[in-house]
Amino acid sequence: WKNGRIHRVVIKSLLGGNLRLRVHHPLQLPDGTKPGKKFKDNPNPFYAVEQTASPKVAAGLSQPKKLTTKIFEYDIATAPGTVYSFLAQ
């Protein structure tokens, strides 16, 4: 972290498979290229999302405020034992 922002991220994949990063600032690889963009559905079975019905809101209540901070999501295919580094843009 540097000045309240991610400066550098280093992750070691133990199992391999899809790595999904969700951050508030754009990232790049050390060579300056951008990591892969997010897939609609995460192919990693460890992160399967259960389909749920929309919540019911009682009459007279307002909807909660939506998150206004921009989110950057990346999916990276990883290999077991490999270290991956990312830098803030």
Side-chain angles (χ1 to χ4, degrees), residues 5-68:
R5 293 181 56 153
I6 290 175
H7 176 66
R8 186 173 143 215
V9 178
V10 178
I11 298 171
K12 180 177 182 179
S13 176
L14 298 178
L15 300 175
N18 189 56
L19 163 66
R20 176 164 289 173
L21 293 174
R22 182 176 292 143
V23 294
H24 291 282
H25 307 287
L27 298 177
Q28 66 184 18
L29 298 171
D31 66 3
T33 60
K34 293 181 181 180
K37 292 204 175 189
K38 177 191 138 184
F39 301 120
K40 181 179 178 190
D41 295 317
N42 193 335
N44 188 331
F46 289 112
Y47 297 100
V49 177
E50 187 70 32
Q51 296 299 321
T52 58
S54 297
K56 294 181 180 182
V57 178
L61 293 179
S62 61
Q63 292 289 331
K65 291 183 180 180
K66 297 203 180 219
L67 181 65
T68 58

